[in-house]
Amino acid sequence: MENQSTHWMTETLETVQWFVFLLASAVALPIVIGSLFGLSFPEVAGLMQRTLFVVGAASFLQGVIGHKLPIMEGPAGIWISIFAVMAFSGKQNGDTYMETLQVLEGTMLWTGLFLVLFGLFKLSHRVLFVFTPFVTGAFLFMLTIQLSGTFLEGMLGLQEGAEGIDGTDAWTAFVTLALVLGLSITGRGWMKSFAVLIGISAGWVLYEIAVPAQGAESTAVEWFALPEVFAWGPPAMTLGTLPLGLITAVILLSNLVASVIAVSQTIYGKPRYTYDQINRGSGFLGLNHGLTALFSAVANVSLASSSGFMQLTGQKRKQPFLYASLLLTGLSLFPPVVRFISSVPAPVANAALLATFVQLMGLGLSNLTMEPLDQRKLTILGLSFLLGIGLMFLPPDVFTGLPGVLQNLLSNGLLIGTVLVITLNQLWKEPN
């Protein structure tokens, strides 16, 4: 009886920790999108609800029917880049923000359609030969570089037009980061297993002590509400965004493969997957893009950071992950609950996410160095990193005047860098 009680308690705590990770990975980006497009507070709150609903549903579908691994489906860094660029280019073309968001809905549908076709016709696994450990490692490295700036801005309180570093945000964030990493490295037993949960809880308490809650306006909120369908209006599937949808779908395949490899390597000690698993994952990734467009949110992808979370905590079982996904979906239907769980301080959430990306970058570097880095590989990496990462630092307005398709492509450093690594690695063959 005692063993059964202990098992139930462990599973409950693991579910809660997965839930906190899912939540922390999802809450920041709706706020970023809201500031990009000038959305009002009620619109951002609605976007938050729809995002949490879709994240939970998409993660559960992939875990049960798709690739069947405990990999979170969350808002993608590559899509944040696309949203940011199209917000700027749409404004330059005289489109309203809502018109641009409708075009983005259409772009997500194009991408989802291609991913479904790749999976349905079993084409996804046919491109696996290009995703060598070398390519996967380069992708993971650039992914962590791209998102590290966003996390650091959140930790320092530099988001939403802040003029300088917020001292309170910074110290609570770095205490959280140190606590999560410290417990994951030196902790024993349950303290190591629940490092993320302990770190976020402690960081949240410290933040509330340092920054007493302000008297928020009291507004009437429904206790139960279904997420709104096509909240931004009907999708606009323009031919101009079709090439972007295709290229994004191909890059997302590399993201899917990298995530499956990273998580399977964490669970089994080595990469382990089947062609059918990749094709199913691609098909459901496409369906999840359709689900995201339907509920007007940021498209989800399989987050490789799930492996970093698993390495930090030692949690490798799928059941708590599935419970957490259902819990997130269910709680998103209750707006007061959404408001409460979304009140996790941004510096604390970003610090916990940065801790998981420490492990992810380590995995990327490990893949890169599986084989000796000769002059050929170093040249490919050097050129791809310099151009891809360099593009991440350029403001979107430098591409003004170029055709819309080129603007959307060239302003996405992760996409360009990944394409360069794949292309050069295939064209420049190793000497016999």
Side-chain angles (χ1 to χ4, degrees):
M1 188 70 180
E2 185 176 345
N3 287 339
Q4 189 175 7
S5 177
T6 302
H7 173 75
W8 180 85
M9 180 62 71
T10 301
E11 191 155 88
T12 299
L13 287 173
E14 288 184 358
T15 299
V16 170
Q17 184 158 251
W18 263 115
F19 174 81
V20 171
F21 175 70
L22 294 176
L23 180 66
S25 301
V27 295
L29 296 186
I31 298 171
V32 173
I33 295 300
S35 62
L36 278 174
F37 287 88
L39 301 181
S40 64
F41 178 76
E43 288 172 329
V44 172
L47 175 58
M48 183 74 74
Q49 183 202 24
R50 298 192 301 273
T51 298
L52 298 181
F53 177 84
V54 171
V55 165
S59 300
F60 182 81
L61 288 173
Q62 279 281 30
V64 173
I65 313 174
H67 49 57
K68 297 184 178 180
L69 286 171
I71 303 175
M72 175 187 176
E73 294 282 312
I78 188 171
W79 274 109
I80 292 297
S81 302
I82 293 171
F83 268 68
V85 171
M86 292 185 73
F88 178 82
S89 60
K91 185 177 180 181
Q92 292 292 311
N93 295 332
D95 297 332
T96 66
Y97 278 148
M98 280 301 161
E99 288 172 336
T100 302
L101 288 168
Q102 289 165 18
V103 172
L104 281 161
E105 284 179 342
T107 308
M108 289 188 283
L109 288 175
W110 280 129
T111 304
L113 177 62
F114 286 121
L115 287 167
V116 168
L117 292 175
F118 290 159
L120 191 62
F121 292 101
K122 301 191 183 302
L123 300 175
S124 302
H125 76 272
R126 297 188 183 279
V127 298
L128 283 179
F129 71 94
V130 305
F131 299 122
T132 61
F134 176 71
V135 170
T136 303
F139 171 82
L140 292 175
F141 182 81
M142 285 187 287
L143 177 66
T144 55
I145 292 293
Q146 182 193 49
L147 293 178
S148 62
T150 302
F151 295 147
L152 196 55
E153 284 181 359
M155 290 171 64
L156 299 177
L158 295 175
Q159 293 174 325
E160 299 181 19
E163 295 181 359
I165 293 174
D166 186 300
T168 302
D169 286 6
W171 77 258
T172 51
F174 281 99
V175 167
T176 302
L177 177 65
L179 192 55
V180 173
L181 288 177
L183 288 176
S184 67
I185 295 170
T186 64
R188 295 289 183 270
W190 66 271
M191 293 190 73
K192 179 181 178 67
S193 299
F194 302 109
V196 173
L197 181 59
I198 295 170
I200 288 181
S201 300
W204 194 347
V205 170
L206 287 174
Y207 189 86
E208 292 298 329
I209 293 172
V211 185
Q214 302 294 317
E217 292 184 24
S218 179
T219 54
V221 180
E222 293 180 273
W223 275 99
F224 180 86
L226 294 172
E228 186 178 355
V229 173
F230 291 133
W232 297 331
M237 297 182 71
T238 65
L239 290 177
T241 58
L242 189 148
L244 177 63
L246 176 59
I247 295 172
T248 304
V250 173
I251 296 302
L252 290 183
L253 275 182
S254 69
N255 190 102
L256 172 66
V257 173
S259 300
V260 169
I261 287 174
V263 169
S264 62
Q265 186 171 333
T266 300
I267 295 174
Y268 305 113
K270 62 180 181 179
R272 187 169 135 186
Y273 59 87
T274 64
Y275 290 164
D276 186 51
Q277 187 178 23
I278 297 298
N279 285 318
R280 285 198 319 271
S282 173
F284 274 88
L285 184 58
L287 291 175
N288 289 339
H289 270 65
L291 188 67
T292 308
L294 178 67
F295 289 105
S296 300
V298 184
N300 293 325
V301 300
S302 302
L303 295 184
S305 56
S306 302
S307 67
F309 168 81
M310 295 168 75
Q311 288 181 28
L312 270 177
T313 62
Q315 292 183 200
K316 300 179 182 180
R317 298 190 307 121
K318 188 170 72 173
Q319 210 65 23
F321 166 78
L322 295 178
Y323 292 152
S325 300
L326 287 177
L327 181 62
L328 186 64
T329 304
L331 289 181
S332 71
L333 303 178
F334 299 91
V337 179
V338 172
R339 287 198 173 201
F340 172 73
I341 61 180
S342 300
S343 64
V344 175
V348 173
N350 280 283
L353 288 176
L354 189 67
T356 65
F357 271 70
V358 170
Q359 306 294 325
L360 188 62
M361 178 169 276
L363 184 60
L365 293 173
S366 176
N367 280 340
L368 279 174
T369 55
M370 276 187 178
E371 296 177 358
L373 291 175
D374 55 20
Q375 187 62 46
R376 168 185 166 274
K377 289 181 178 177
L378 288 172
T379 303
I380 291 173
L381 287 178
L383 182 60
S384 302
F385 287 169
L386 286 171
L387 292 178
I389 296 173
L391 285 171
M392 296 178 190
F393 292 96
L394 296 180
D397 57 355
V398 302
F399 301 106
T400 303
L402 294 176
V405 173
L406 286 179
Q407 286 187 42
N408 294 332
L409 296 179
L410 292 176
S411 58
N412 196 313
L414 177 62
L415 188 150
I416 294 297
T418 305
V419 168
L420 275 173
V421 170
I422 292 172
T423 304
L424 292 174
N425 194 47
Q426 290 300 309
L427 294 180
W428 186 357
K429 298 297 183 183
E430 294 190 55
N432 294 325

